[in-house]
Amino acid sequence: MDMDEESIESSSAGTVSSIASLPTEVLIAIFQNLRMPDLASVRQTCTHWYDIVINNRTLMNRFVLSLRNCRIHEGCEQWSVLIISRSIFEKVCLKSCTIGPATELWRAIGGNVVELTLNDCTMNAETLFDLLRCTRNNLRSLTLKSTKFDDHSIGHVPLDFSMERLTSLTLRSTFVYDEFFHAFKQICPILKALKLTFSSFEHWGEKLVEFVSALRSTLDAITLSYTKAGSVLLQQLGRIDHLRLRKVSLKSCYELKERDILELARLQPSIVHLNLDNLFSADEQFLRALSAFLPQMKRIKLRVARVSNLHQAFLINLPQLNYLKITDTTHQKDLFSRDLSAYENGSLEKLYVSAATFSRNILPRFFERCPNIRSLTLYQCTYENIHDLQLAFSHLKALEYLNLQRTFDISDSFFNRDVFDTVVMPFERIRFYPITNLRKLCYLNLSHCRDLSDQSLMSLSFSLLKKIDLRGLHITEAGIASLVRECPLLEYVHVDACKRICDTAVLYLCRDLKHLKLLNLESCKAITDRAIAHILQHCRSLVWLNMMSCPQLSDEAKAQLSSIRTIRSLYL
């Protein structure tokens, strides 16, 4: 029976009334489970809901105050809006902004800021320290990335405050002149982590050593990746009395040699996280000495060469290791030799192996003794027997992250359950463990696995999968249709350089993936303006979109994408 208009209006009013009458704690519980775009809409629904969101720290912590490509100064448009806002932001990111004096603004919003990032901004030193003075009460993390200063003189700036809670200082892609070390040494009494990635410093780093020495009682993490750190600097840091480093990253510090790392390990045996990625190729003698100096090691990244038995040379001394990243520079067949199966480690949770060749039966035996791995990357590896990889999955039932990028040995049959159920090995019939049985998988990377097609996608079924990378595969709308049906929670999809992806495939992705946040369509040369129409019509949560090098897209259609308010990063 049809309801009359009066009944419909009454029902609608009753629904609104019942929602509005819910207790605040119930509404908060509901709001906590909303997606970010929906939570933003909640703030705009009514005054009552707005007050609930802005007065709840857990909810507001999901918002980031992000200002880009603007001039910030006393009286500017942003200043006028924020100065009267009752919103409390714990995370603030200013990108490509010219920042001038705005003391009243920083006083209004700075007292609650916990994380502050200045990315590619222009300002003078006095403005920076005025900003920090206003955020000193709660600020825990400060990042200065590619920040340019109008003046190089800090000596005249009054440092009459202290940042009692700042524990992490990141200086990325910038030149750190000595006056900055001197200033931060005075105002950061409990700093724990110092990161100087892609940065440079004066001379060989005398002021850096003084800075670390002054904070030695609290500082336990140093990142010097992509810097010109040399042996003298490393020795000076290692010899600082009462300094107990736990985390050290020296990635791509090309001036360092094996003896420099071993000397640091000898001087700082407290190190448990060590990043030597993209440095020299470690040999067996170095690995044995390093593991002897650092038996408490929990995380390590390195390159290896000329290692015939990784277990005996290195891993046997590291029973607490939970993250291991190894790049084989020689493509040596016996890098993971048969004795590796003797390595038993229930703590190992993340394994990254690049450019290695696995001998027969090594992987199943290794993973049987290390069954708690949640993240596995086997990048551009080769296999004497590809079936070993399938067998290994039976021991990795907790796997959440799987990266098989550039695994050229796998084909569509790798994902076919029937093939593996019927393979008969010598002396016994082995029932293989299909990849689709990895029920906890949230991330899957199959990019540039050149022999995979739609048939592989039609074999995938992961109810929890949120991110997938399929770039460079020969897939069509048929495979995409199956994928979105069997993996409905996907949020991040990379299909760039998939030449057979068409407008219909984009329709399936945009219409059927209700939580889609990132979509990479770069170099998908078959898509047209219809693809943009599908994005405009169906994407309500999209934050990141790449449609570069798509020659059939018109400028008029591209311009329409600016109307999607949720998109923060757009590449056309």
Side-chain angles (χ1 to χ4, degrees):
M1 178 168 33
D2 294 331
M3 297 178 64
D4 56 31
E5 292 184 8
E6 183 177 351
S7 299
I8 293 175
E9 291 178 2
S10 175
S11 175
S12 177
T15 301
V16 174
S17 175
S18 62
I19 294 175
S21 62
L22 288 174
T24 299
E25 56 270 20
V26 175
L27 289 172
I28 291 175
I30 294 173
F31 295 163
Q32 287 176 339
N33 290 284
L34 294 178
R35 296 174 300 157
M36 194 60 212
D38 296 330
L39 183 59
S41 298
V42 162
R43 292 182 62 194
Q44 301 174 351
T45 301
C46 64
T47 303
H48 178 50
W49 287 6
Y50 175 78
D51 289 337
I52 290 176
V53 174
I54 69 170
N55 290 314
N56 184 277
R57 172 164 290 188
T58 302
L59 295 176
M60 281 303 298
N61 193 40
R62 297 175 62 187
F63 291 93
V64 178
L65 174 58
S66 180
L67 301 178
R68 300 187 178 194
N69 302 305
C70 60
R71 296 181 64 88
I72 301 175
H73 54 84
E74 217 81 66
C76 67
E77 180 182 356
Q78 293 78 10
W79 178 91
S80 303
V81 173
L82 292 170
I83 205 72
I84 62 174
S85 174
R86 292 185 292 127
S87 297
I88 296 174
F89 295 99
E90 293 192 357
K91 300 176 183 178
V92 175
C93 178
L94 308 180
K95 184 174 182 180
S96 301
C97 294
T98 300
I99 306 174
T103 303
E104 189 177 349
L105 171 61
W106 306 133
R107 286 175 180 171
I109 68 173
N112 299 290
V113 176
V114 175
E115 298 179 16
L116 175 61
T117 299
L118 305 180
N119 186 354
D120 197 23
C121 292
T122 302
M123 61 199 309
N124 61 42
E126 187 172 358
T127 299
L128 171 64
F129 286 98
D130 186 40
L131 193 163
L132 295 180
R133 183 182 290 104
C134 296
T135 60
R136 67 184 184 276
N137 291 333
N138 288 300
L139 194 64
R140 292 175 173 82
S141 174
L142 173 63
T143 299
L144 303 179
K145 181 179 179 181
S146 303
T147 302
K148 297 176 283 292
F149 295 94
D150 294 334
D151 60 343
H152 283 213
S153 178
I154 304 175
H156 68 281
V157 178
L159 300 176
D160 53 354
F161 66 96
S162 178
M163 309 186 74
E164 300 290 344
R165 296 192 177 186
L166 189 70
T167 57
S168 176
L169 174 61
T170 300
L171 303 173
R172 180 181 173 90
S173 302
T174 188
F175 180 78
V176 189
Y177 41 95
D178 288 348
E179 288 186 347
F180 265 115
F181 284 129
H182 180 71
F184 282 115
K185 179 173 62 176
Q186 297 181 60
I187 65 176
C188 305
I190 65 163
L191 199 67
K192 293 183 179 180
L194 174 65
K195 305 174 184 178
L196 300 181
T197 310
F198 287 104
S199 297
S200 56
F201 34 80
E202 294 183 272
H203 310 299
W204 61 265
E206 298 98 323
K207 295 299 180 182
L208 170 58
V209 174
E210 291 181 13
F211 178 82
V212 173
S213 180
L215 298 170
R216 61 184 178 274
S217 61
T218 60
L219 196 68
D220 64 6
I222 294 181
T223 296
L224 298 174
S225 298
Y226 299 97
T227 69
K228 293 184 178 180
S231 58
V232 175
L233 174 61
L234 213 60
Q235 284 188 29
Q236 292 289 336
L237 292 174
R239 294 177 186 278
I240 295 175
D241 289 337
H242 306 299
L243 177 66
R244 298 292 181 268
L245 292 177
R246 291 179 54 81
K247 302 178 182 179
V248 176
S249 178
L250 301 168
K251 181 178 181 179
S252 299
C253 293
Y254 299 114
E255 295 184 15
L256 296 177
K257 307 300 180 185
E258 291 186 1
R259 62 179 180 273
D260 302 322
I261 304 301
L262 292 178
E263 179 66 7
L264 177 67
R266 185 185 68 81
L267 296 170
Q268 294 289 330
S270 55
I271 294 175
V272 294
H273 292 192
L274 183 60
N275 186 351
L276 304 178
D277 202 9
N278 206 24
L279 256 178
F280 51 78
S281 296
D283 58 21
E284 198 162 342
Q285 182 179 358
F286 170 81
L287 292 175
R288 186 177 294 110
L290 184 67
S291 60
F293 284 133
L294 304 175
Q296 305 302 314
M297 184 73 69
K298 294 183 178 180
R299 296 170 62 95
I300 189 166
K301 302 178 183 180
L302 46 75
R303 302 169 70 190
V304 298
R306 303 185 302 278
V307 180
S308 61
N309 192 324
L310 197 63
H311 175 229
Q312 293 295 331
F314 181 50
L315 294 178
I316 194 172
N317 295 325
L318 303 176
Q320 301 182 45
L321 202 66
N322 59 43
Y323 180 27
L324 173 62
K325 179 178 180 181
I326 294 181
T327 300
D328 181 16
T329 59
T330 60
H331 291 266
Q332 187 170 299
K333 180 177 179 180
D334 292 328
L335 170 66
F336 276 63
S337 67
R338 69 172 65 117
D339 288 334
L340 186 66
S341 59
Y343 180 62
E344 184 170 356
N345 185 352
S347 300
L348 194 63
E349 295 183 352
K350 295 183 179 181
L351 176 65
Y352 183 112
V353 181
S354 174
T357 299
F358 293 100
S359 302
R360 184 181 294 268
N361 297 328
I362 295 302
L363 281 179
R365 294 175 181 175
F366 175 75
F367 290 125
E368 184 177 9
R369 292 179 172 269
C370 304
N372 295 318
I373 293 177
R374 296 182 296 105
S375 174
L376 174 63
T377 296
L378 300 172
Y379 175 80
Q380 203 171 350
C381 294
T382 55
Y383 306 83
E384 185 176 336
N385 181 7
I386 190 61
H387 298 326
D388 282 350
L389 182 57
Q390 196 76 29
L391 279 171
F393 291 144
S394 63
H395 304 297
L396 300 177
K397 298 179 180 180
L399 200 64
E400 299 173 4
Y401 179 108
L402 177 61
N403 185 346
L404 298 176
Q405 185 176 3
R406 295 186 180 275
T407 303
F408 301 137
D409 293 341
I410 63 175
S411 61
D412 288 332
S413 62
F414 182 81
F415 301 96
N416 191 321
R417 180 191 300 265
D418 295 334
V419 170
F420 290 108
D421 280 352
T422 57
V423 170
V424 178
M425 303 291 285
F427 310 113
E428 61 177 331
R429 182 179 184 277
I430 295 181
R431 184 177 182 85
F432 284 81
Y433 192 87
I435 188 174
T436 51
N437 284 0
L438 300 175
R439 298 302 182 189
K440 295 184 178 181
L441 206 63
C442 297
Y443 174 94
L444 177 62
N445 190 336
L446 299 173
S447 64
H448 300 294
C449 295
R450 57 194 178 194
D451 292 330
L452 299 186
S453 66
D454 286 336
Q455 185 178 344
S456 296
L457 296 191
M458 293 176 182
S459 301
L460 302 183
S461 179
F462 301 110
S463 59
L464 299 180
L465 195 68
K466 292 187 177 182
K467 301 180 181 181
I468 193 165
D469 193 332
L470 304 170
R471 72 186 69 186
L473 301 190
H474 301 290
I475 55 177
T476 69
E477 66 272 20
I480 295 296
S482 175
L483 177 71
V484 298
R485 182 174 60 252
E486 299 299 330
C487 307
L489 297 184
L490 278 171
E491 297 179 0
Y492 296 74
V493 178
H494 293 268
V495 288
D496 39 317
C498 294
K499 298 180 180 179
R500 301 172 68 186
I501 288 292
C502 62
D503 297 333
T504 304
V506 177
L507 171 63
Y508 295 152
L509 291 169
C510 297
R511 183 191 64 192
D512 299 337
L513 296 179
K514 305 302 182 183
H515 308 290
L516 188 64
K517 295 179 180 178
L518 180 149
L519 180 59
N520 194 339
L521 298 168
E522 182 178 358
S523 299
C524 292
K525 300 184 183 301
I527 64 176
T528 69
D529 288 352
R530 290 181 59 196
I532 291 182
H534 297 325
I535 294 172
L536 292 169
Q537 180 179 358
H538 299 289
C539 290
R540 294 293 178 265
S541 304
L542 203 61
V543 175
W544 193 97
L545 175 63
N546 186 351
M547 302 185 77
M548 297 177 64
S549 302
C550 298
Q552 298 192 58
L553 299 182
S554 67
D555 292 337
E556 293 78 8
K558 291 179 182 179
Q560 297 178 38
L561 291 171
S562 60
S563 64
I564 304 180
R565 294 189 300 171
T566 58
I567 294 183
R568 297 177 185 172
S569 300
L570 178 61
Y571 303 92
L572 298 173

